[in-house]
Amino acid sequence: CIGDVSGKGVPASLFMAVPRSAFRTVSAHESMPNHIVGSINKTIADMNKNNMFVTLFVGVLDLPTGQMLYCNAGHDAPLLVGAGVGELPCDSNIPVGFMPEWEYTLQEAEIYTGTTIFLFTDGLTEAMNVENEEFQMDRINDVAVKALAQQQQEPHQLIALMTEAVHQFVGDAEQSDDLTMMAIQYI
């Protein structure tokens, strides 16, 4: 699971505590990602007076088979880095917190041995340099392709390469948003 809350500072941190707690509670007894996301959405939407929202990606990977069930709620699509580099196809569900009765879709993909699933927040795509240019998906893809070509697609290697690339791009510009990356390799 990876998520990103709208807004910044203390109000956003306090708001994010609710979906974090809901995720832990719901996922302890529910394994279907769309049901997990739907439950979190209902919890947040019912108490959301400030119109804040959270983007979420929830996936459940069956380790013996490589089958991954997943649900995306307005979050950036993960990259799959393995035989090649490509985005995991994600339905365009809305972020959680708006409509308590929204039906989130369940998707399924086969993850092949050696593939790294690279998840990130929009703090990566929207990282800005001093010219107010954003890092964007093209640069993320370029770093992932480079990592694969150099056989450096293991999680710690990929995150290190991505971190270095975004720091070089941003330079001396002040950080405009939080940035979270997570990589999981199916072995």
Side-chain angles (χ1 to χ4, degrees):
C1 176
I2 189 168
D4 194 14
V5 66
S6 63
K8 297 183 186 333
V10 174
S13 295
L14 292 173
F15 187 78
M16 190 61 169
V18 175
R20 268 188 78 190
S21 177
F23 175 77
R24 289 179 177 170
T25 301
V26 175
S27 65
H29 59 81
E30 174 62 65
S31 63
M32 297 301 287
N34 58 322
H35 295 160
I36 295 169
V37 172
S39 180
I40 294 169
N41 178 56
K42 181 152 181 40
T43 299
I44 293 173
D46 286 345
M47 52 78 62
N48 189 4
K49 305 292 184 233
N50 295 326
N51 293 319
M52 296 182 81
F53 62 88
V54 176
T55 64
L56 279 178
F57 178 90
V58 176
V60 176
L61 180 60
D62 184 297
L63 297 179
T65 67
Q67 289 301 114
M68 183 171 73
L69 299 177
Y70 62 97
C71 179
N72 189 41
H75 200 80
D76 289 315
L79 275 186
L80 299 179
V81 183
V85 173
E87 285 185 23
L88 183 68
C90 289
D91 291 344
S92 56
N93 288 303
I94 64 171
V96 298
F98 290 124
M99 300 172 66
E101 302 308 321
W102 183 269
E103 292 291 326
Y104 288 90
T105 56
L106 178 66
Q107 291 182 268
E108 185 175 353
E110 185 173 351
I111 306 299
Y112 298 102
T113 301
T115 298
T116 298
I117 306 166
F118 178 66
L119 303 107
F120 52 92
T121 61
D122 64 4
L124 181 60
T125 53
E126 297 174 3
M128 283 193 236
N129 63 17
V130 292
E131 287 86 32
N132 288 327
E133 300 168 322
E134 293 183 345
F135 193 65
Q136 299 185 342
M137 267 319 287
D138 288 343
R139 287 184 181 87
I140 295 169
N141 280 318
D142 290 347
V143 172
V145 167
K146 177 183 170 185
L148 185 60
Q150 296 174 350
Q151 296 183 345
Q152 294 185 345
Q153 71 270 22
E154 289 185 12
H156 69 281
Q157 295 169 321
L158 182 57
I159 288 177
L161 288 171
M162 202 65 71
T163 300
E164 180 183 332
V166 75
H167 284 316
Q168 284 181 357
F169 175 80
V170 169
D172 293 331
E174 187 175 324
Q175 187 173 347
S176 59
D177 195 5
D178 61 336
L179 188 158
T180 303
M181 294 182 279
M182 178 171 61
I184 301 163
Q185 188 173 39
Y186 177 59
I187 53 173

